[in-house]
Amino acid sequence: EAEVIGAFPSCRRYVAGGRCKSTAKMEGKVVIITGANTGIGKETARDLARRGKVIIACRDIAKAEAAASEIRAETGNQQVIVKKLDLADTKSIREFAEKFLAEEKELHILINNAGVMLCPYSKTADGFEMHMGVNHLGHFLLTFLLLERLKQSAPARIVNVSSLAHHGGRIRFHDLHGEKSYNRGLAYCHSKLANVLFTRELARRLQGKFQSQAEFTANALHPGSVYSDLVRHSFLMTWLWKIFSFFLKTPWEGAQTSVYCAVAEELDSVTGQYFSDCQPAYVSPRGRDDETARKLWSVSCELLGIQWD
């Protein structure tokens, strides 16, 4: 019996995964975190608010304000600011970027954290399939609009929250918006693969643009299987998540790799990589396909009506 009891804490430790040990301070630095009103985004914001200025970019302002005031009270940092951002609407993304650029002279870290999962078939305001539209195209446009400010503020980092689910994804250029066939689980996987490919191509394009690679990096990560409301669109998954919650990471544990990618000193000149549990992780062969990455880049630009060379 003692052995069984002893197995529980060690099992829990295994589930918890890696922890960010960096104590790096970010005085005078500015971070944007999308979707930081709940789950791992909120825990990422809570940690980074102990280090510097945090902008919580969310669609639901009431929820975001509640999260921000909780974080302000806990950390004593009044520089936790809420801004409206709906990644399912390019007009909202452009308005957010415009306001941010007018109000903030610097941006050091952009964490593309927000995401939707297992949505019934639906489209964004611009007619994109919801998973691909929010998880990939919304963040692609946001990064494009903020890139110059990040460059001016270098050293800077872009952190894209992807998932182990990218292993099940493929970029279906012939049916990017799932109009011919749609499976909500696969749609999520496709969008998470897009995150990995975007990170890879972005890092490639940024290389050689600076005096040293430490100036500007872009990395992706898998936060782990986290007990959060990301599965809210699926009754079955919500039920399973409750039953197996012991074997899932808490949002705080899930946020560790995001924080690690944002602040760890040893990642100063590491770019184009994929992390899990605060260490490099295996990327699927599709996630390493440079040709697909380049094609996805140009198709994304076309869909968003932007030129990003």
Side-chain angles (χ1 to χ4, degrees):
E1 198 174 305
E3 269 180 35
V4 172
I5 291 166
F8 276 113
S10 57
C11 172
R12 218 17 246 142
R13 270 198 300 278
Y14 175 75
V15 168
R19 295 199 173 176
C20 176
K21 296 184 174 74
S22 169
T23 55
K25 285 279 174 235
M26 305 187 313
E27 280 104 349
K29 293 201 172 180
V30 181
V31 186
I32 290 176
I33 310 172
T34 66
N37 59 351
T38 181
I40 65 168
K42 182 179 172 184
E43 293 306 323
T44 305
R46 195 192 304 272
D47 182 292
L48 297 182
R50 294 193 170 93
R51 306 170 193 254
K53 181 172 183 173
V54 175
I55 291 168
I56 292 178
C58 292
R59 190 186 58 206
D60 189 328
I61 292 290
K63 268 191 187 170
E65 281 295 358
S69 61
E70 181 190 312
I71 292 168
R72 282 184 218 116
E74 193 180 307
T75 61
N77 180 2
Q78 295 312 301
Q79 296 276 280
V80 180
I81 295 157
V82 172
K83 305 266 186 206
K84 186 166 174 64
L85 170 67
D86 182 355
L87 287 156
D89 184 351
T90 58
K91 190 165 165 278
S92 170
I93 299 168
R94 288 180 180 280
E95 279 170 6
F96 168 86
E98 208 175 297
K99 278 188 185 151
F100 173 83
L101 295 172
E103 290 165 11
E104 299 287 341
K105 294 295 157 256
E106 292 189 302
L107 174 60
H108 304 90
I109 300 166
L110 170 62
I111 303 180
N112 290 319
N113 162 84
V116 293
M117 181 182 182
L118 303 172
C119 300
Y121 188 75
S122 55
K123 286 185 168 179
T124 68
D126 301 86
F128 309 141
E129 185 277 314
M130 193 59 75
H131 293 90
M132 194 58 81
V134 170
N135 298 356
H136 168 60
L137 291 166
H139 283 127
F140 187 93
L141 178 60
L142 180 66
T143 307
F144 167 74
L145 295 170
L146 298 175
L147 196 73
E148 282 311 308
R149 189 56 42 95
L150 281 156
K151 282 180 181 172
Q152 291 158 9
S153 312
R157 296 184 186 190
I158 294 168
V159 178
N160 294 323
V161 179
S162 178
S163 167
L164 185 68
H166 85 269
H167 286 272
R170 57 172 52 202
I171 305 301
R172 302 163 71 248
F173 289 108
H174 67 287
D175 189 23
L176 208 58
H177 303 299
E179 287 160 333
K180 293 176 185 155
S181 71
Y182 180 74
N183 173 297
R184 55 192 186 167
L186 287 176
Y188 177 71
C189 296
H190 302 332
S191 71
K192 293 290 112 181
L193 174 60
N195 293 154
V196 171
L197 291 167
F198 168 45
T199 306
R200 188 177 181 87
E201 181 63 9
L202 177 60
R204 188 187 72 78
R205 284 164 178 261
L206 291 171
Q207 265 172 334
K209 298 265 171 82
F210 298 91
Q211 295 295 307
S212 78
Q213 194 45 60
E215 295 281 312
F216 204 159
T217 63
N219 290 299
L221 67 102
H222 165 55
S225 298
V226 179
Y227 189 62
S228 74
D229 66 354
L230 190 59
V231 294
R232 65 187 174 276
H233 292 293
S234 166
F235 172 76
L236 176 65
M237 287 293 279
T238 304
W239 183 69
L240 288 171
W241 246 226
K242 277 197 170 78
I243 290 175
F244 294 107
S245 61
F246 180 81
F247 299 101
L248 297 169
K249 288 186 177 187
T250 64
W252 182 84
E253 290 161 355
Q256 293 303 300
T257 308
S258 294
V259 174
Y260 175 74
C261 288
V263 303
E265 298 89 340
E266 64 266 34
L267 299 188
D268 274 349
S269 53
V270 174
T271 192
Q273 301 302 306
Y274 171 74
F275 294 86
S276 176
D277 283 327
C278 302
Q279 56 189 13
Y282 180 73
V283 176
S284 76
R286 286 197 187 108
R288 286 178 270 129
D289 186 331
D290 290 330
E291 199 182 320
T292 304
R294 278 194 286 273
K295 188 175 177 186
L296 178 64
W297 186 282
S298 63
V299 167
S300 300
C301 287
E302 216 172 288
L303 287 167
L304 293 162
I306 59 175
Q307 275 191 305
W308 189 357
D309 302 320

